[in-house]
Structure formats: C-alpha cells, structure tokens
Amino acid sequence: MQNSDILILNDQNLPPDLGLPPAEDIDAELLDNETMGDRIKTMLRKNKLAAASFVVIVLMCLAAAFAPFLTPYEPNKTSLKDRLAPPSREHILGCDELGRDHFTRLLYGTRVSVMIGLFPTSVAMIIGTVLGLFAGFYGGKIDFVIMRLADVVLAFPSLLLAMVVSYTLKGGIISIFLALAAVKWARTARVIRAQTLSMKEKEFVEAARSLGVKKSTIMFRHILPNCLPNLIVLLTLNIPESILDEASLSFLGIGAQPPSTSWGLMVFRCKPFLFEYPWLAIAPGVAILVFVLAFNFLGDGVRDALDPYLKD
Amino acid sequence: MMTNLAAGRAADRIMDMAADTAAEAQEMLAITDLKTHFFTQKGVVPAVDGVSIRIPEKQVMGIVGESGCGKSVTAMSILQLVSRPGRIVGGSIMLDGEELVGKSVKEMRNIRGNKVSVIFQEPMTSLNPVYTVGRQVSEAITVHRQVGKQEARQQVVEMFKAVGIPEAERRFNSFPHQLSGGLRQRVMIAMAMVCQPKLMIADEPTTALDVTIEAQILHLMRRLEEKSNTSIMLITHNMGVVAEICDFVYVMYAGKVMEQAPVFELFDHTKHPYTKGLLNSIPKPTEEKQRLYNIKGMVPNLLRLPKGCRFSPRCEYAMPECREREPELYDCGKNHKVRCFLYQKDQGGGADE
Amino acid sequence: MARYIIKRILVAFPVLIAVSLILFVLLNVVPGDPVTVMMREHIKPELIEVFRERMGLNDPILVQFGRYMVNALRGDFGMSYKLQRDVSAMIREAFPHTIKLAIYAALVAWIIGIPAGILSAVKQNTLVDRAFMSFSLMGVSLPVFWAGLLMQYLFAFKLGWLPVTGYYSPRYYILPAIVLGWQSAGTIARLTRSNLLEVMKNDYIRTARAKGLGETVVVVGHALKNAMLPVVTMMAMQVAGLLGGAVMTESIFGIPGLGRITVDAMGTRDMPLLQGSVLFITAIIIIGNMVADLLYAFLDPRIRVE
C-alpha cells in the first residue's frame, strides 16, 4: 500500500510530542464543528456493515408496520388441511401445527420484537435517566438509596429477575414490558449518575448555579443534553438485549402467550417438530438473529462514532 | 545571562568547549536532515522537518523547545519508535558510524535498550505496575546479554547502588507503586544505563519531579555520564535544566532547529528571538518583582505552517522578508548557528554583540 | 489486603439480603395462593384458612421472610408443593449438573474468547480483527435456545455425532457447553481486545519497547497481564453468569440442573421450589462476583502489596 522508499515503522502506539493528540486517537478526534449526527453519518458511509444493518432494521420495522399488506393470510387463521404443510408457493415458509401461515406469523411477530425493543427499553431508560440525574445531582441519601437499589438489581442475572417478575405478573406481553423495564433501568441510572457527577463540576454548571438557575432547569436543560451520547450508546446496548430477553422469556412460556405471535414463542411451539419440520423452528430464530445482529452491528458503529463524546 | 546558574561548572567546561570543534570526527550520533512526518486524516504533519543534530562522544546535548516542537519525535525517530501514523520519510541517523534509518525491525530491537536507551518523563507510568522493578530492569539485561538470572540480578543490584537507590537488595523486589517518584526515575535510569549504551535519551526526565529531586537526578545523570562512555541527549523545555547539565544545546521550534550553540555561548550570546523568549520566560532569582515574559501566541498548527519563517507570526523582530521565505541556519562562528535573517550578515564571521 | 477482603465481604452481605428480600416479596405477592395451588382448589374456605394460619402465611411478609431466611441458612428451603420433596435435597441433586455445565461452557468461552481477543487487538483493524469481532457480536446476538435447537438438529439429528439430550457422560455436555459458551466467548473476546488496546497505549509499553523487547514479548509479557486483570474478573463473574444462562440450555438439552428445576417450578407454580432454586442461583452469583473481585485484588500487586 505504501511507497516502498518510505520507511514504514513497525512499532506503534507511542504518543508523539506534537500539538496534536496521540496518533492513535487522531481517527477518534473530533473535527471542527462536527456534530454527533455528522459523525454517525460519516460512520454509516464508511462502515458498510453498520449501514447494511441500518437498512435491515428499517426494512423490518416497515414490515412490522405494514404486515397486513405484505401477506394475504391472517396470522391466527387456522386451516386443518394445511397442518404442517411444507414450504410452497402459497406458503413460503409452510404452515405450523395449526395450519397457520408461518411467514405471516413471522411478519406479525416482528411487531412484538419492535415494540419490545422500543417501549420497555425507553421506559427503563427514562426511569434510569431521571434516577441517575437525581442521584448524581443531589448526592447524599438520595444517591445512596438509588445506587444501592441499582446494585441490587444489577446483582441479579437479568434474565432470571425478568423471569421472576414476569412470573409474578402471570406472563403476557405486558408483564414482559414491566419485567424488562424493572431490570434495565439500573445500568442507565449508573451511567447517567457518573456523567452527572462529572458534569456537575463543569464551569457552565457552576455558572448556572451561581446565577441562581433552578435546580430542575440545571438538571434537565444543562446536564441532560450532555448525557445524550451516553444514552444513545446505552440504547444501542439495551434494544438488542431486550429483544433477546423477550424471545427467551417467550420461549420459556412465561412471555407472550398464545394466540399472540412472538418469535420466541414460535420457536417454542415448533420445537416438538424440530426433526421432521426443522424450518418451522429455524425460521423465527433466524429472524431473531438477523434483527438482533443488525442492532448490534449498528450499535457497534454508533459506539465507535460517539467515542470522543464519551471520554470525559 | 544565565552564567550565575552555571558558574560552578564554568572552569572545567571551557576546556571541553575548545575540544568541541575538534571532536567532530568522533561523533556518537549524527542526525542529518531527518524528516519524520505524521500522515493524519487531516493532512501531513511535518513533526520533524529536516533536523540535523550531532552529539560527540561523552557529551550531554540538550534539545530545548516548547511542547509540540518535535523534540520527542526526533528522539523517538532515533529508536524508530514513532507511533503510527508517523514515519521517517528522509534523512540519516548515524549511531557511532552505523546507519539506523532503514534497519530492520530485528536489528533495531538489538539497538534499543542496548546501544540507545531512553528515560521518559513520567516515572509514575513508565514502569509496568504488575512486575517488580528488579524484574523489569533485569529484563533489559537478559534481552541483550547472555547472562543467567542470578547474574542479571547481581548486575541490577549493582546498578541500583550506582544510581543511589538505598537498600538496593530489598528494592529489587519492590513494585513500582511502592516507590517514590524520584526513586522510580532512578530505576528508569538504572534500566537505561544497565547495558552501558552509547547514547541515553532523556525525554523530560525531571519534569514530573519536584525541584529538589530534579537537582539530584540531574546530578546523577551528569555523574554517570562522566564515569561511563555514554552520551546523553536531554530533551527539555526547561532552560534551567539545560544550564545545569548540558554541553551543547539545540533549540527547536515547529520541527526545525532554530539555534544551536555550546551552552555558554548560547546563554551569553543568545541570538534567535525565540531563544531569547525562552530565556526571558524563566524567573530570575536576582530580580525581586517582575512580570514573567511570555512569547506571544502559540506553537503553530503544523498542518498550517505560516509562510516564511515559522516563528515570524510570534516574533517581535519580524521583518517583511521573514514572512516571505525561510531563513537558513547561518553560521556565526564559535560553533554557533542561527536560523534567523537578523544574523544573515554575520555569516562566517565571529559575530560579537 | 485483609481489609479489602473484609470490606468486600461486608458489601456483598447486605446485597445478598436485599436480593433475597426482593425475590421473596415478588414471589409471595403472586395471586395464586400456595394453599390453593397445593389443594388443587377442591377445598373448603375454612380449611384453607386453617392451613394458612398453620403455615404462617398470615404473618406480616417481613416475619415470613425472616423465618424463611433463618431456615434457608440452616439449609431448609421447605417442601416442594408439587413433588412433596425437600427443596434443599432437590437443589443438592441438581447443582452438580449445573456447575458441570457452567464450567464446561466457561472453558469453551475462555479457550475461544481470549485468543480471539488477543489476535484481534494485535491485528487491529485488519480482516482478522473484523472477522473475529463480527463473530463475537454474532455470539452475543444469538438466541441461546434457538442455537441449542439448531445444534441438536445439525450435530445430533442430521450428523449423528453427538447425543441430543441427556447428561450421562461428558459427550452429552459438548453441545450445551458450546451453545452456552459461545455467548460468553464473544463478551470475553471483545473485552480482551479493548483492554489490550487500552493497555498498549500505556507508557510502560513504550518503556518495554525501548528496552529492545520484541513485539511478542511486549504483548504477551507486558501488556497481557495488565489487560487480563479485568478479564479474569469478568471470567469469574461469567462462571456465575453462566449459572443463570444455564436455565435455558438445561431445559433444551434435558439436563436436570438448577435451571431445569426453576423452569419446571415456574410451569407448575411450585413456589417453594422456585423460590429456593432462584435464591440459590442468585446467591451463588453474588458470591461468585465477590470471589471475582477478591481474585482481582489478589492478582493486582497494587492492591495485594500495600
């Protein structure tokens, strides 16, 4: 790649004495007037995998929204003659044990995953953000109580706690919503608290304080916007996790309940036919993998792009 | 100007100064027109832009300049440890008659720590926290010499004693965090000297230390240099340190040498406006109250170097010519060279002020 | 060091109590009354009241909790409603299966994850790096239950290399261990990579290079030990986390471990069994995390040697 008469040095990672940041950070350094949006756009242009993932996510969300227009079948319409029908022109992925079109159910299942990805995650993050802000800003007893509570929640394996909460609430989509929200707020609270603590020491917050700006204004107008990169990064971690957790809970039979469709539930219901009709159990799993992987690839890219904002 | 600081050393140094000119033949290090550039996303940064430096045997040579002027990159270029995206794009580095530029990775490895060693600025972070200091220094021996563990240990303890580490035997098994900053720097010096290198590069060795420790460390370096055959290349931004220990000084600015002279010549007949600025910005014990001088402006962004002389935007004496073309290094005699149009006329002659 | 250990244990203890309390409350507010579950709803209301009183179910929840904890510490988790067996005996039977699975899975995770992480870091931004990191992201994105089914289909059913379900010899644990370990392998690989890259920026790495050490010695001898400190903690924590993950894997591969018990107890709404097993798993995890922290302290001379 390099000119052969130019000597390429083999040892890297030594910070040079320049008016510039250490060399390996140059890629990670902000250019003048670069916003978060710009950086994410640049990342999408360069990172093909992330861009493709973004497209996949958008397509799958569209599929969820327009499911009725993409398939001639009803998701819950049973048809005895089509029981366990193999894939054919009419039924791309065949039919399940009740003769329902598998592809149609997969499409509708996307709705559950998209909703699970968005709602409980958002609720958990809003709760976590508010608690984190309060804990960091007020300190003292409030901080102690909130943070110990977060410690306790984080001490659980999240799936197990979600299982117990979901069990207590007797299953169903709503209980999954609540279970995931109850589990996921803690990490957000911790990150936002740390960010708030460092922001509290910044000059502009000190200045606002000395001017007598209301505490709530300082918290939500001055500190919160500076937590945005952290929140975006947390979102990229939480969404795929929530989707996977929902699938797992539904697979265990304590999540989505029939007749509603969820990918995890579909795998569970098709498990007994694994050896004779493998596509039934495999297809929803592929859907989960693709959707979650797309979120993770995109998230990975976003984390890289926002890295300079997360440094302090 | 700074003679009072260095007065104690004056007498024995005059002899050396006379020897300086004669010693050109036995250069320990000769860097010629070295160019080390960094290829960043935003463009090429000429961190070292045609630097020539010579260090005779058994001398302490200082490189002075503000941070970002290319001092450390020059030093790292000698070891070929410049970090990516930087690389040497031209010039030559002769160590004791041996060309280093173009050497293979393996050959360079044999030189590092063996013929050329380094002491870094931060003794706190330059030692690996998970290994004992003794182990880290022995490693410098065992990698270059065929010696057993026990013998290496013996040598390290000897070296620890030589650099003034008390209870050397016991300290061998200490972890870095158990030592003070001064002791850690002594460990670094021990590590650098243990293979009796031809050249020791000291990159701001005392910047992180407090003043009393600084004096001790400088004294130690001077003593080691006198006892061994090692030349020292001292990188600093501190003119006081230069006066304390150096024989010859190069003043660097934005990747180029601006002035070079034997230490007393430089202090007594400062020529370049930048050097004057540097000297004026140290507090003087003789004057009661004064505002410290500071050089206006900042080190230029190397991506957008000004036209003409690199220092011209900050220079009090800048003339129209300075903004047009770059001055060369003009020889003012007495081994004194200056890159400034003010001294163009002095070329070749012995310019007295 | 001693102080650190004591402090860490003192911190773990209240967390353990709080976690138990939360679990207890969550499981005891379930509308399905244990007595009704037990008696299959064919019983007179007066009798239910008698049973409730006798079982102490009418006491305040904190009293119930205290009683439960005291008994639990004595190794008495009560009787399973459905199976009429001693819960602690059932846990004792199940635990070895789970720990075996967790250890096998951890071995898979380490053997794959650590070298992959090191290689990715050393070859940063090359094809190797990207391939490994994509692979590890895939591990993280994989629905464990589905991966399990897929492997059963492929390696057990189609190829016939390995048994489908069971727990009779180590062969039976190969598939579940891979399924369970892959996810952790991804996490470990990413953590190893990012730590190693971070450590490589340190001054002492420059010192090591300046000494004339080769890149291999620099990476393996100087960077790795520092980089591995957090990874070791992570690994210890993951053995604990794998216990939790075993819930899924066990029910797919028919291993009668703690996870299987938990899922079954959930299905039959067998409260004492569910409570006992969940509490036990959680306690193991919290203790595991504590051990991980202590391990860190032991490995890092900055904490070990004061």
Side-chain angles (χ1 to χ4, degrees), chain C residues 72-87:
Chain C
L73 285 178
R74 288 208 214 104
D76 175 14
F77 287 95
M79 294 286 271
S80 151
Y81 289 159
K82 278 280 141 85
L83 301 166
Q84 292 299 324
R85 284 193 60 201
D86 189 18
V87 170

Side-chain angles (χ1 to χ4, degrees), chain A residues 6 10-11 14 17 23 29, chain B residues 42 72 81 83-85 105 112:
Chain A
I6 292 177
N10 291 281
D11 300 276
L14 300 183
D17 179 23
E29 198 214 355
Chain B
K42 291 178 238 173
S72 296
L81 282 175
S83 58
R84 199 165 40 183
V105 177
R112 286 178 207 141

Side-chain angles (χ1 to χ4, degrees), chain B residues 28-93:
Chain B
M28 189 52 88
L29 180 79
I31 300 177
T32 315
D33 200 26
L34 177 71
K35 285 183 177 146
T36 304
H37 293 182
F38 284 75
F39 297 84
T40 73
Q41 278 191 335
K42 291 178 238 173
V44 178
V45 179
V48 175
D49 200 13
V51 165
S52 299
I53 286 172
R54 257 135 250 275
I55 308 179
E57 233 171 35
K58 291 198 70 168
Q59 283 232 345
V60 181
M61 198 275 298
I63 302 186
V64 202
E66 290 163 281
S67 51
C69 67
K71 303 169 293 195
S72 296
V73 181
T74 307
M76 287 298 114
S77 301
I78 300 171
L79 286 168
Q80 293 185 22
L81 282 175
V82 184
S83 58
R84 199 165 40 183
R87 47 188 134 91
I88 298 175
V89 293
S92 133
I93 299 170

Side-chain angles (χ1 to χ4, degrees), chain C residues 57-190:
Chain C
L57 291 172
N58 287 342
D59 293 339
I61 191 123
L62 273 178
V63 173
Q64 289 186 45
F65 174 67
R67 195 162 46 215
Y68 183 82
M69 284 311 278
V70 169
N71 288 335
L73 285 178
R74 288 208 214 104
D76 175 14
F77 287 95
M79 294 286 271
S80 151
Y81 289 159
K82 278 280 141 85
L83 301 166
Q84 292 299 324
R85 284 193 60 201
D86 189 18
V87 170
S88 50
M90 293 179 73
I91 291 176
R92 255 202 311 279
E93 261 168 43
F95 187 56
H97 294 296
T98 305
I99 198 83
K100 220 192 286 178
L101 175 59
I103 288 172
Y104 288 146
L107 285 179
V108 170
W110 300 342
I111 290 168
I112 299 173
I114 295 172
I118 295 172
L119 229 82
S120 290
V122 173
K123 308 254 172 214
Q124 194 195 356
N125 293 333
T126 61
L127 207 67
V128 179
D129 179 24
R130 292 214 183 99
F132 272 129
M133 283 306 108
S134 301
F135 203 65
S136 78
L137 258 190
M138 209 136 115
V140 179
S141 309
L142 206 65
V144 171
F145 56 92
W146 177 76
L149 292 181
L150 203 65
M151 291 211 172
Q152 280 183 342
Y153 179 74
L154 210 66
F155 295 107
F157 181 70
K158 275 276 160 190
L159 299 169
W161 291 352
L162 294 160
V164 181
T165 57
Y167 50 94
Y168 312 104
S169 74
R171 254 165 63 84
Y172 286 85
Y173 284 90
I174 295 178
L175 283 184
I178 290 174
V179 168
L180 190 53
W182 190 0
Q183 199 162 25
S184 311
T187 320
I188 287 181
R190 297 178 79 75

Side-chain angles (χ1 to χ4, degrees), chain B residues 27 38 71 149 182 230 287 318-319:
Chain B
E27 274 155 358
F38 284 75
K71 303 169 293 195
K149 225 176 166 183
T230 305
E287 283 159 59
M319 306 171 287

Side-chain angles (χ1 to χ4, degrees), chain A residues 217-254:
Chain A
T217 316
I218 295 179
M219 269 196 280
F220 291 99
R221 287 279 166 76
H222 294 274
I223 295 177
L224 187 58
N226 285 290
C227 298
L228 199 61
N230 304 67
L231 284 173
I232 293 175
V233 166
L234 281 168
L235 198 67
T236 65
L237 291 169
N238 282 334
I239 290 180
E241 269 182 26
S242 298
I243 295 172
L244 267 186
D245 284 352
E246 180 274 329
S248 302
L249 291 173
S250 294
F251 176 78
L252 289 175
I254 44 175

Side-chain angles (χ1 to χ4, degrees), chain A residues 153-211:
Chain A
V153 171
L154 289 170
F156 281 104
S158 73
L159 189 65
L160 209 59
L161 180 57
M163 270 166 73
V164 171
V165 174
S166 184
Y167 170 82
T168 302
L169 299 169
K170 298 223 150 170
I173 296 280
I174 299 294
S175 76
I176 291 197
F177 270 39
L178 294 173
L180 290 179
V183 174
K184 303 261 178 233
W185 66 271
R187 183 164 59 186
T188 309
R190 229 185 221 183
V191 171
I192 296 303
R193 171 182 175 268
Q195 181 73 4
T196 308
L197 280 179
S198 81
M199 279 295 141
K200 221 167 80 172
E201 308 301 320
K202 291 271 154 76
E203 288 81 359
F204 68 92
V205 173
E206 297 274 339
R209 267 184 164 177
S210 62
L211 288 172

